[in-house]
Amino acid sequence: MSHYQIEFRHAQKCYGENIVLENINCQVKAGEFVTMVGASGCGKSTFLKMLLGTESHSKGVVLLDGEDIVAEPSPDRGIVFQKYSVFPHLTVRQNVAIAKEFEGSPLLGRLFGNRRKQALDEADKWLEAVGLIAAKDKYPHELSGGMQQRLAIAQALIKHPKVLLLDEPFGALDPGIRKDMHKLVLELWKKYELTIFMVTHDLNEGFYLGTRLWVFDKTRHDPHAPNRFGSTITFDLPVGQTDAASFKSIKSALKLNESETDINESLMTKQANAS
Amino acid sequence: MSHYQIEFRHAQKCYGENIVLENINCQVKAGEFVTMVGASGCGKSTFLKMLLGTESHSKGVVLLDGEDIVAEPSPDRGIVFQKYSVFPHLTVRQNVAIAKEFEGSPLLGRLFGNRRKQALDEADKWLEAVGLIAAKDKYPHELSGGMQQRLAIAQALIKHPKVLLLDEPFGALDPGIRKDMHKLVLELWKKYELTIFMVTHDLNEGFYLGTRLWVFDKTRHDPHAPNRFGSTITFDLPVGQTDAASFKSIKSALKLNESETDINESLMTKQANAS
Amino acid sequence: QAKEDFKVCWSIYVGWMPWEYGDKSGIVKKWADKYDINIDVVQFNDYVESMNQYTAGEFDACTMANIDALTIPAAGGIDSTAMIVGDFSNGNDAVILKDGKSIKDAKGQSINLVELSVSHYLLARGLESVGMSERDVKVVNTSDADLVSAYTTKDVTAVATWNPLVSEILSMPKSNKVFDSSNIPGEIIDTLIVNTKVLEENPKFGKALTGAWYEIMDEMQKSKKVRAHMGKASGTDLAGFESQLDSTKMFYKAKDAVEFVNSPALKNTMEYVAKFSFNHGLLGDGAADAGFIGIETPAGVFGDKGNIQLRFDPSFMEMAAQGKL
Amino acid sequence: MKRWINKKPSRPLAIVLGILPFILLMALYQWGSEVRKVENPNDKLLPSVSQFYAAIDRLAFTPSKRTGEYLFWQDTFSSLKRLLMGVACAAAIGLILGLITGAIPLIGANLNPVITALSLIPPMAVLPLLFIVFGLGELSKVMLIIVGITPFLIRDLYQRTKDIPQEQLVKAQTLGANSFQLINRVLLPQILPRLLDALRLSLGTAWLFLIAAEAIAATEGLGYRIFLVRRYLAMDVILPYVIWITFLAFVLDWLLVKTSKKVFPWYHAAK
Amino acid sequence: MKRWINKKPSRPLAIVLGILPFILLMALYQWGSEVRKVENPNDKLLPSVSQFYAAIDRLAFTPSKRTGEYLFWQDTFSSLKRLLMGVACAAAIGLILGLITGAIPLIGANLNPVITALSLIPPMAVLPLLFIVFGLGELSKVMLIIVGITPFLIRDLYQRTKDIPQEQLVKAQTLGANSFQLINRVLLPQILPRLLDALRLSLGTAWLFLIAAEAIAATEGLGYRIFLVRRYLAMDVILPYVIWITFLAFVLDWLLVKTSKKVFPWYHAAK
Ligand SMILES: Nc1ncnc2c1ncn2[C@@H]1O[C@H](COP(=O)(O)OP(=O)(O)OP(=O)(O)O)[C@@H](O)[C@H]1O
Ligand SMILES: Nc1ncnc2c1ncn2[C@@H]1O[C@H](COP(=O)(O)OP(=O)(O)OP(=O)(O)O)[C@@H](O)[C@H]1O
Ligand SMILES: [Mg+2]
Ligand SMILES: [Mg+2]
């Protein structure tokens, strides 16, 4: 058995003729924080879905704790999407407690009396952790976008997942609120020793948060059949060791044609915050 | 007659009991670029709507070129919203040419033959200006978010408005694309000598783009009746002259509790770009 | 095999309102109890639907006119017996023209009626009486519920229908009755049709119904209150109901009904009816001629003796006449 | 001068404008009625207001001579009972089948084609068969309503179930939900307010089928009375009944809206 | 083991599953028919397949003895003509009124209450009045369809017009559009695909009213034939007609979808 928590070996994913990802090879240890960037449509979400189990790989091997990954979502892998992650018909507390109810009541998924109280109490603990305890009886539509994402994170954590998957979790948030969320995620990551995979469109964010930054891109292009070749992981940077040349090529891969001089600085800042 | 293009004197706006804006006093000359920030719900969009004419002020005076402002949208004030600014059923060219068609055909709003060709040609000129000429026969749904906003700007400019109003025009765009748009707006602003009012949630953006930054906030609070007092313009900064103290208070007004050390720098960069 | 629970259905028509009274007043129940059976009396608003339900086997007995008994249950293979002959139409069915005094004036007009019904038959007989045929007019199928309102429109110039629609229409200006069932007395007969097999196996059922019927007849003839009740139930009042009764030859006495059924005229009538039905394709695809379905009357059988599906059987009414029930 | 599309009526003006067409319609009726009365004083088609009044008084406030009952209220009660039973059953079937076909792809693939085909059959055309299958008692009238609206409900709720974001289903599974828990705790509660929406849309059809069913076999009910007196062209009874049915339809619709807003605040706020 | 909600049938399995219920229904019918035939060989309620075949042959492929016409095709033609005319008129009225009430608040305030009230009236109950107003000819059948579906169309398109983002209206005005230009160039083209959606929803009701209208007064048409032969329970004719109507309804629905996708690509892509 390997000592890696996640391992991809020559994994490929295609939808019919359309090869989205190919030749994916990577190993991730427990406790790493992997951020992923790449052009739109290059397959980042698809990669997360393979980890999550909602899509199965077409070729190769994907291992979780050394075993073939279960191609179905399960409580050992938590997820936060950009939108629709929380249940609109439940209050904040119920949104978190529902995981406990699923656990305790296999038939109806609904607890009563004392057991229900226990579940709600545990939910409150997690709401405390993400700073939502004051809004515990509100419905999601009464929350701001940032609070909804906090709720989605609390929800994901109550099941103590081995791996936490984040698909552009802060993409729809205002810059100010986004900063708060970064702080929260780093805190939780350290406190609960999570393995985190996070997709982002914001290269700054990728550098700031991760211990490791992956760039997804195509290595081969066929201009007449754009779907013939898939993306792969073209850069795998232990963050902090970025040299000027690779930085430039990441930027061109992401097609950011504006100068982002502040990135190197945020790298410094991050080192201070994260370690 | 005053030599200001826009002038507000003791203007107030309320919806029934709810006072949104009060005691608004300001003068803006032609060619200024005003960026506006403020907490969510403080009335920035309402301010723009008064300028636009879709909402009329409840008290005080609002002047455009020294005359009482017309409380109805008209071609002298162009607008770009965050979303829904373009017509989904028209191609890119038609979206821009439609303004010419309204002008040339008072009854149906539809031109034929040679006049139609002229209108399309003029539209193409504007598409060139915003860099959309390659996509001129596409429908909006085939464009990315950034391209849609470019289109909305081209649309607004074809009528040569005196004032261009932008309500969080780049709020839904990715950071990389946002930078491109900043460049475009600054270019157009200089080239066509526009007066621009732009609402943003991103303080960086506000500093980077504007010649003048306004902060909207309440000066008085009644904790038992939050709607009793309205917001007003609490800071009016000619950008470049920000001192540390006022910068801090802006941040607290916006409730950004993360350090944004890079703002001062982007101020510098802006000066280089904008002037 | 003998059974205990029976279902009878009836629909709203002057000659069948007694069943409503019999049901409400308990007379039917009284007679059912006497023979130790249960009879469920069900009202229909839609005449055609009631016959369809009977033909489909949902009911053991149903009220219907002689022509419908031939073309619906009998043609559908349900051997049926006309057990009670309650009345015949004596002016209740009529052809009415807006313009024209005689049925000859109908030539070339559209005539609104319920196609393939007694009205259609009446029209055919009327045209025949002046040497015309259906080819001389255009028949427009119109549902009975809507005939009265249809008549108020300009498009409709001629109708053939039954009561109470006839009296409603005649009360409107410019309506001329040009032919009615009193011109062909005894040809449109309203009966209670009973499933022959059920009747054979359960004579009690027939006895109970017949007994009840003539007790109702008795009360109806004597009591104005009973007639007022029936009028109300059919959506009109005493006066309206009695004017409908005036154009109906009720057989209040069993003896009269027996006599009518036994007369040889009945066989001739049924022959007319069978021919009309055959000409309109109502006897089914297999029918080679009007006699394809045998009709048994006391005066003899019309048509195929090997395929008798409709029987006029006076025996139960005779028992009633002799007071043997 | 404002553009027409920007002119918004003030509240009182809006009310006046809204009432105007009703007054016009009434005046038009009154005029038509008088014209016909001049031609034929016994005209039944457009009765006068006093005739309406007499008819309403007779049916609603005078006990029937025959049975001592108030026909109007009895009709209303019977019809409402049938309608509500039919709609309730249809809602239950529609909810269960819509939810299950929407949630479980295997069952959806199995049942959707046949449900689509059934929903296209005009129920009026197969009335005789329906009566044979369901008999003629109270059940048949209720069944006709059920047959009339259930296919629509199933298809609508199927679609609404499918519309629930995939993300929520995935999330629930990462929280350990099995299929049944997921349907019970995630899908069902979110479909309920949509069921009320669908019911509002199908109430009109339900009334149609109720009236059709009562026209064929019934001994009381609003539709029955209308069909009974239609033979006599008693518009003095028919029109008040029609207005009453319209009013009842309006009240039911209003109740559904209110209930939905009260019970599912999150649904209405989110829209 | 996958959860049930995650099991998706493969394409061939989906087809087999989808056909299964139809086969079951047919088998059930066959069985019911045989049982009844044993009891009564002349049973008309559930005819055998050979009887269907004979009836179809007689109506569709043999000229009628009386008129020399092919009844089935004549019926189909008449009914389709009425249906299409009715739906087309209703669409035109619904489009114009929906658009105008949605676009111009003053007209909306004026007409919406009365349209809402009218849409709640069950048309079946006011048939006599409809006859008076529209006569009893071809027009009346078309009118019944129009009366039956127009209120729904108006209300739906009113709502759809209101749903068009306010931002677009403001934008058009800043581009110099007057009210009429705005309706003609911004609202109308965006409402057209939504009209097709609304028509799809109301086709079922249109068929219902067509059949009802033909049942009341007609000399040919699919509904006429069904109600005529209902008089002698000729299910061998009724059932093929019902299946044919269902098929026609399906084809019309399919045509609407195709047309919409073809003519309004931007509408379908944006969804
Ligand atoms: N279910 C599917 N069936 C077919 N193709 C799919 C499916 N899901 C995704 N794809 C294709 O796979 C490619 C990668 O999609 P994916 O969503 O993973 O991109 P992404 O990197 O997350 O993009 P974005 O940054 O826009 O979220 C796209 O080209 C998309 O068209
Ligand atoms: N039509 C209206 N009727 C009543 N109240 C309104 C209306 N429009 C806006 N408001 C109120 O006015 C206040 C200011 O709204 P506005 O949209 O101007 O805020 P904003 O500063 O643009 O906020 P955001 O940053 O979220 O866009 C809010 O409290 C809102 O509830
Ligand atoms: Mg993605
Ligand atoms: Mg705003």
Side-chain angles (χ1 to χ4, degrees), chain B residues 15 18 20 38-47 49 55 167-168 199 201 227:
Chain B
Y15 292 108
N18 178 5
V20 178
S40 189
C42 74
K44 305 178 296 296
S45 296
T46 305
F47 180 84
K49 282 182 196 157
E55 294 286 352
D167 194 352
E168 299 185 39
V199 173
H201 259 115
N227 295 336

Side-chain angles (χ1 to χ4, degrees), chain E residues 134-153:
Chain E
F134 304 113
L136 210 70
E138 269 312 285
L139 182 67
S140 71
K141 286 140 220 160
V142 174
M143 280 312 298
L144 189 61
I145 297 176
I146 297 178
V147 168
I149 66 173
T150 306
F152 164 77
L153 289 178

Side-chain angles (χ1 to χ4, degrees), chain C:
Chain C
Q1 63 278 36
K3 58 179 199 167
E4 294 208 323
D5 298 307
F6 300 90
K7 285 165 81 181
V8 181
C9 63
W10 65 279
S11 50
I12 296 179
Y13 174 69
V14 54
W16 297 325
M17 290 317 290
W19 288 116
E20 194 273 347
Y21 178 71
D23 186 28
K24 280 272 151 60
S25 65
I27 294 174
V28 173
K29 184 168 189 316
K30 192 179 90 188
W31 282 85
D33 288 346
K34 177 171 175 184
Y35 287 96
D36 218 14
I37 56 176
N38 298 310
I39 300 179
D40 192 9
V41 180
V42 176
Q43 175 191 330
F44 267 85
N45 305 323
D46 189 289
Y47 174 48
V48 174
E49 198 54 48
S50 70
M51 295 185 290
N52 280 345
Q53 294 284 326
Y54 165 78
T55 309
E58 297 292 304
F59 288 88
D60 305 301
C62 180
T63 57
M64 62 187 86
N66 52 341
I67 176 175
D68 296 315
L70 175 65
T71 60
I72 299 174
I78 302 291
D79 189 335
S80 296
T81 298
M83 186 180 76
I84 300 174
V85 172
D87 68 273
F88 65 77
S89 169
N90 196 20
N92 243 339
D93 299 77
V95 181
I96 300 169
L97 300 187
K98 262 184 196 163
D99 300 304
K101 298 276 176 245
S102 132
I103 194 156
K104 282 190 180 132
D105 299 324
K107 196 175 175 77
Q109 292 198 31
S110 285
I111 302 189
N112 291 71
L113 46 73
V114 178
E115 225 175 295
L116 311 180
S117 70
V118 286
S119 305
H120 202 162
Y121 174 75
L122 179 77
L123 175 72
R125 296 283 285 134
L127 292 170
E128 215 177 285
S129 72
V130 292
M132 300 198 318
S133 80
E134 251 189 83
R135 289 211 175 76
D136 298 316
V137 298
K138 186 173 177 223
V139 167
V140 180
N141 188 38
T142 307
S143 101
D144 54 333
D146 299 294
L147 255 175
V148 181
S149 50
Y151 188 77
T152 62
T153 70
K154 280 204 188 64
D155 299 342
V156 176
T157 56
V159 297
T161 187
W162 54 78
N163 257 328
L165 314 178
V166 168
S167 46
E168 283 302 321
I169 290 173
L170 285 177
S171 75
M172 294 185 202
K174 286 196 291 181
S175 307
N176 305 306
K177 181 157 76 173
V178 295
F179 192 79
D180 71 21
S181 49
S182 62
N183 300 95
I184 49 165
E187 287 193 25
I188 297 175
I189 308 165
D190 301 316
T191 64
L192 179 75
I193 295 288
V194 186
N195 186 313
T196 304
K197 187 157 158 270
V198 172
L199 191 61
E200 272 169 6
E201 286 164 1
N202 305 279
K204 284 167 157 185
F205 176 50
K207 286 178 182 170
L209 281 180
T210 315
W213 177 258
Y214 285 105
E215 183 175 335
I216 301 164
M217 284 294 109
D218 211 35
E219 288 195 19
M220 179 179 171
Q221 192 179 22
K222 282 182 196 142
S223 160
K224 201 177 235 181
K225 239 179 90 186
V226 172
R227 291 195 296 274
H229 173 100
M230 292 178 186
K232 189 101 194 196
S234 64
T236 179
D237 50 17
L238 178 62
F241 189 67
E242 290 197 323
S243 85
Q244 291 175 34
L245 275 179
D246 288 344
S247 48
T248 311
K249 172 74 185 87
M250 292 296 299
F251 295 118
Y252 289 113
K253 296 277 174 275
K255 188 168 67 66
D256 300 340
V258 172
E259 210 168 278
F260 177 78
V261 173
N262 281 334
S263 85
L266 181 66
K267 191 182 157 207
N268 290 337
T269 300
M270 289 317 293
E271 190 175 337
Y272 272 131
V273 169
K275 281 180 177 154
F276 171 86
S277 304
F278 175 71
N279 288 337
H280 286 86
L282 301 185
L283 297 186
D285 299 329
D289 59 44
F292 174 67
I293 293 171
I295 303 168
E296 183 189 86
T297 68
V301 174
F302 169 76
D304 185 353
K305 290 193 175 62
N307 185 27
I308 293 178
Q309 299 286 4
L310 182 60
R311 305 159 198 269
F312 283 85
D313 177 4
S315 56
F316 286 89
M317 294 188 292
E318 264 163 9
M319 284 185 235
Q322 294 159 7
K324 286 187 183 161
L325 293 176

Side-chain angles (χ1 to χ4, degrees), chain B residues 153-202:
Chain B
I153 293 172
Q155 241 182 355
L157 291 181
I158 196 172
K159 294 294 284 183
H160 298 289
K162 297 176 190 164
V163 182
L164 183 60
L165 308 171
L166 309 172
D167 194 352
E168 299 185 39
F170 315 130
L173 305 184
D174 291 331
I177 296 158
R178 220 185 260 205
K179 296 245 157 91
D180 289 358
M181 299 301 293
H182 292 167
K183 218 168 90 187
L184 174 71
V185 167
L186 287 176
E187 258 173 44
L188 295 171
W189 170 61
K190 274 185 284 181
K191 184 157 172 207
Y192 298 102
E193 293 170 357
L194 299 163
T195 313
I196 296 186
F197 287 81
M198 169 167 156
V199 173
T200 174
H201 259 115
D202 189 344

